[in-house]
Amino acid sequence: MIIILLGPPGAGKGTQAQRIQKKSGLIQLSTGDMLRAAVHAKTKVGMIAKEYMDAGKLVTDEIVVGIISERIMEEDCRKGFLLDGFPRTVKQATALDVMLSEKSLTLDAVIEMRVNDDALVDRVTGRYTCSECNEGYHDSNLKPKGDGICDVCGNTNFNRRADDNRETVVSRLEAYHSLTAPLLPYYEKAGVLKGVDGMASIDDVTFQINAILDNF
Ligand code: ADP
Ligand code: ADP
Ligand code: ZN
């Protein structure tokens, strides 16, 4: 099964991708996570990507397509995968179509997570993750059960992304509306687009997504 989670920054793609991965074993491929790993490792690609990411701009198609095309060749992707944050431009989408057809694979569904821009700023600026296991939290929407203690691993250190600030979010939202939103008619035409109400609670969104995935 090959699924794309499509939505603006803060829509809940990562949160839902982790849940789907836990439930169905479908592997989560997040270009954002891969790029942050490259930045952290100070690779050549990471050094170039960092400038774009810090400015809230999209990294070049060439870089992200290169990263994804290498990643989906790996053994653990054989049974399918869940793309979180890729593709983000029509050029990336057409490159993905070519990659999949070369491997005789088909895209099953593109799930659009619809969230109002106003809610997105709050979601992104309140987001943090466990520094040990990467579990995601939010200042008001999703706090750990024990104050300052990760529910999953008991760690007490958390990270906030450098790009999760108000100014960068505005620029990332602009990039979403101008460069990523054209993917909606693209996938609608291909007959694979499904929508979920991303304004609903996290559990409710999971329910909506599972109802779509149950058809495959
Ligand atoms: P969010 O979770 O807020 O949607 P991501 O973690 O997916 O953000 O991405 C963080 C940043 O990484 C983006 O702002 C962009 O600079 C870069 N990035 C991630 N995926 C892509 C992509 N498919 N194309 C271009 N840039 C990307
Ligand atoms: P994305 O990967 O699309 O950028 P995330 O999954 O990281 O988004 O979610 C952004 C923030 O919003 C996180 O702090 C997360 O806990 C919170 N969040 C995710 N989904 C919801 C929801 N349905 N309602 C309220 N908060 C949410
Ligand atoms: Zn943890």
Side-chain angles (χ1 to χ4, degrees):
M1 185 156 59
I2 298 172
I3 305 289
I4 293 174
L5 286 186
L6 189 64
K13 302 181 296 295
T15 304
Q16 297 300 333
Q18 283 191 355
R19 288 178 165 215
I20 299 166
Q21 176 165 298
K22 263 182 214 151
K23 182 174 180 260
S24 65
L26 204 61
I27 190 153
Q28 171 192 10
L29 302 184
S30 156
T31 38
D33 285 348
M34 292 173 198
L35 289 166
R36 279 184 289 280
V39 170
H40 186 74
K42 295 195 162 65
T43 64
K44 205 172 151 200
V45 160
M47 304 301 267
I48 300 167
K50 186 176 186 305
E51 300 219 356
Y52 292 95
M53 295 165 83
D54 286 347
K57 294 197 172 128
L58 291 186
V59 173
T60 63
D61 292 331
E62 200 188 350
I63 288 182
V64 285
V65 168
I67 290 180
I68 280 289
S69 62
E70 276 181 24
R71 183 65 185 86
I72 66 173
M73 296 297 279
E74 286 176 37
E75 179 60 23
D76 59 350
C77 289
R78 215 165 37 90
K79 286 193 184 142
F81 43 84
L82 175 73
L83 292 165
D84 157 14
F86 179 92
R88 262 172 152 108
T89 64
V90 171
K91 226 171 168 187
Q92 292 176 23
T94 51
L96 176 65
D97 285 344
V98 172
M99 278 180 235
L100 295 181
S101 75
E102 278 172 2
K103 298 177 98 213
S104 303
L105 295 170
T106 43
L107 176 61
D108 294 291
V110 176
I111 302 178
E112 182 203 358
M113 305 183 61
R114 300 194 194 110
V115 180
N116 303 340
D117 281 8
D118 295 352
L120 293 171
V121 176
D122 171 63
R123 286 205 193 166
V124 170
T125 53
R127 161 164 66 190
Y128 60 97
T129 53
C130 171
S131 64
E132 197 60 40
C133 73
N134 210 30
E135 183 73 4
Y137 296 99
H138 188 276
D139 287 329
S140 46
N141 304 350
L142 183 64
K143 296 181 191 172
K145 292 185 185 80
D147 198 16
I149 305 164
C150 174
D151 294 343
V152 176
C153 74
N155 173 40
T156 54
N157 287 311
F158 298 88
N159 291 332
R160 281 180 197 267
R161 280 167 45 181
D163 60 340
D164 278 351
N165 59 69
R166 206 162 272 274
E167 303 80 69
T168 314
V169 176
V170 171
S171 152
R172 283 154 66 195
L173 278 175
E174 277 171 16
Y176 179 79
H177 290 299
S178 60
L179 299 167
T180 309
L183 291 181
L184 299 171
Y186 180 88
Y187 286 125
E188 172 89 73
K189 232 174 161 181
V192 288
L193 187 67
K194 319 268 174 202
V196 299
D197 173 17
M199 293 296 286
S201 70
I202 296 177
D203 285 345
D204 192 81
V205 177
T206 305
F207 184 83
Q208 295 177 59
I209 293 177
N210 283 337
I212 294 170
L213 298 185
D214 283 347
N215 294 317
F216 297 100

